[in-house]
Amino acid sequence: MAQFVDWDLAAATAGALGKSGPRVSYAEATEVVSELRRLTDEAAGHVADYTGLRSQVAHPPVRVVDRRDWAAANIAGLREVIGPLVSRLSGDKRPGPLTEAIGSRLTGAQAGTVLAYLSGRVLGQYEVFSGDPGQLLLVAPNIVEVERKLEADPRDFRLWVCLHEVTHRTQFTAVPWVRAYFLGEVQAFVDASQGGEHLLERLRRGVGTLSDAIRDPESRTSVLDLVQTPAQRAVLDRLTALMTLLEGHAEFVMDGVGPQVIPSVERIRAAFNRRREAGNPLEKAVRRLLGIEVKMRQYAEGRKFVHGVVERVGMDGFNKIFGSPLTLPRLEELGDPDAWVARVHGPTGATPTVG
């Protein structure tokens, strides 16, 4: 099978370029890991009580990882997804040995550069690619580093992070079809390409674009520029709607539960928002690269949508959103909760009408 990415080189590059974490003693590190595991369990109870959603499938325990392990976990997940796609698109035809050697190593180095950058920023993640139903990862050095920069109470900040990330785990384990739907849309995006060979080149170019932007804060290119076909834009709309819902729901839950269990939550939220909105030039370049700060808008727009729906039909009414792919919000409904309520609950908010 043609090798699109030299994954071993990607892992080595991520490990070499990833910045070191904050200074902690062995005893402190052990305490952080232990507390994050305990607070994950505590957060799970709060999230279940607040949302009414409970896991329907067994899931592995939280993994508290360092930056290198986070990068390795994501490389394993990407390998599971990208390998079969490349095989299908290439028809298992190998390129010339020079093309394969140079191309895969270049893409591997670029992918490693991107993961090295992200490994120093991500606080937690629900990783869905490498196995069913996925696994919750918490990046301990990043959590400690941010709580110190914000001068936050460690226990309060760690629980606050856990509330957000556990909500993501709950979304995928209380609603098991969400993972299959997400992976299906990724496959649909590939299928909508105008040609396998062209898509492989665009995938390679996209990784390179990310890598170049990390090196060049003045970059103005967006990965979304690589989306060329109308069919792919339709898939991207559905994926954007899903991710905006999931991010907004997590934000809504952490803001709803936080005041009840985290004494300093208002200070943490204010300080974290200032950090999120500011960013250094490099961070701003990456935000632009990902499409006019899409992630930031997902947090804000998604939280506003979820709040609007819950305000109108309550939490049980909101949870109908997880009934099937047909009840997920459409992209245009994210700014109009009334439209989603009318479509799913009916004009009176009582009779579901989907389709």
Side-chain angles (χ1 to χ4, degrees):
M1 183 185 78
Q3 182 164 327
F4 174 66
V5 181
D6 184 333
W7 295 111
D8 292 335
L9 180 60
T13 302
L17 297 183
K19 62 179 184 177
S20 60
R23 290 189 176 184
V24 294
S25 66
Y26 179 79
E28 289 172 322
T30 301
E31 186 274 332
V32 170
V33 171
S34 176
E35 184 169 51
L36 284 173
R37 288 173 176 161
R38 180 181 62 78
L39 291 176
T40 297
D41 293 338
E42 181 180 335
H46 294 315
V47 170
D49 291 343
Y50 186 76
T51 65
L53 299 172
R54 299 184 184 277
S55 296
Q56 301 299 309
V57 295
H59 56 77
V62 62
R63 280 187 63 196
V64 182
V65 298
D66 60 18
R67 290 164 176 171
R68 183 185 293 266
D69 286 341
W70 177 87
N74 277 270
I75 286 172
L78 291 171
R79 197 170 196 162
E80 288 293 319
V81 174
I82 291 179
L85 292 182
V86 171
S87 177
R88 188 177 69 81
L89 289 168
S90 66
D92 283 323
K93 296 178 182 178
R94 300 187 71 91
L98 183 62
T99 299
E100 180 173 5
I102 295 176
S104 65
R105 288 184 64 80
L106 176 62
T107 311
Q110 291 169 335
T113 300
V114 173
L115 288 168
Y117 169 76
L118 293 176
S119 71
R121 305 293 301 177
V122 174
L123 301 181
Q125 172 193 9
Y126 192 68
E127 201 285 304
V128 300
F129 288 126
S130 57
D132 189 3
Q135 183 163 37
L136 177 58
L137 308 175
L138 294 176
V139 190
N142 294 348
I143 292 173
V144 171
E145 184 172 76
V146 173
E147 73 189 25
R148 288 179 178 179
K149 288 181 177 178
L150 299 183
E151 298 181 343
D153 176 86
R155 178 265 176 193
D156 284 6
F157 183 76
R158 294 168 193 176
L159 179 56
W160 192 68
V161 171
C162 288
L163 288 172
H164 184 102
E165 302 306 334
V166 166
T167 300
H168 284 318
R169 183 177 69 184
T170 300
Q171 293 160 347
F172 282 91
T173 59
V175 193
W177 60 261
V178 169
R179 179 177 182 269
Y181 173 78
F182 172 71
L183 295 180
E185 291 294 355
V186 172
Q187 180 68 61
F189 185 86
V190 174
D191 291 340
S193 172
Q194 290 178 331
E197 186 176 339
H198 294 142
L199 178 62
L200 288 179
E201 180 55 35
R202 283 172 19 226
L203 284 172
R204 197 183 297 279
R205 209 165 63 238
V207 175
T209 301
L210 279 166
S211 179
D212 291 344
I214 288 174
R215 293 189 179 94
D216 178 14
E218 299 304 314
S219 171
R220 293 294 185 272
T221 308
S222 169
V223 167
L224 298 182
D225 294 338
L226 302 174
V227 179
Q228 298 179 358
T229 72
Q232 285 180 309
R233 289 192 178 92
V235 176
L236 187 62
D237 283 350
R238 295 195 296 271
L239 281 169
T240 299
L242 174 65
M243 299 312 295
T244 301
L245 168 68
L246 298 182
E247 293 293 357
H249 184 230
E251 292 278 297
F252 178 80
V253 172
M254 71 193 299
D255 284 348
V257 174
Q260 305 171 33
V261 298
I262 302 174
S264 61
V265 68
E266 289 188 13
R267 182 183 178 281
I268 289 174
R269 167 59 82 182
F272 194 78
N273 283 349
R274 286 194 297 271
R275 174 183 179 271
R276 179 187 277 173
E277 292 165 1
N280 56 37
L282 178 59
E283 173 107 6
K284 291 179 180 179
V286 173
R287 289 178 187 173
R288 284 194 301 271
L289 177 73
L290 296 177
I292 56 173
E293 300 188 323
V294 169
K295 192 76 167 180
M296 304 297 297
R297 285 168 39 212
Q298 285 178 344
Y299 288 133
E301 293 178 3
R303 181 171 61 239
K304 185 176 180 181
F305 170 79
V306 174
H307 180 270
V309 172
V310 172
E311 194 174 48
R312 288 161 175 77
V313 296
M315 188 64 76
D316 288 342
F318 167 80
N319 284 344
K320 289 185 180 294
I321 215 162
F322 297 118
S324 79
L326 293 176
T327 55
L328 291 173
R330 298 164 180 166
L331 191 62
E332 64 272 14
E333 290 173 339
L334 291 173
D336 187 2
D338 285 322
W340 180 86
V341 170
R343 179 171 65 86
V344 175
H345 288 266
T348 63
T351 305
T353 56
V354 300

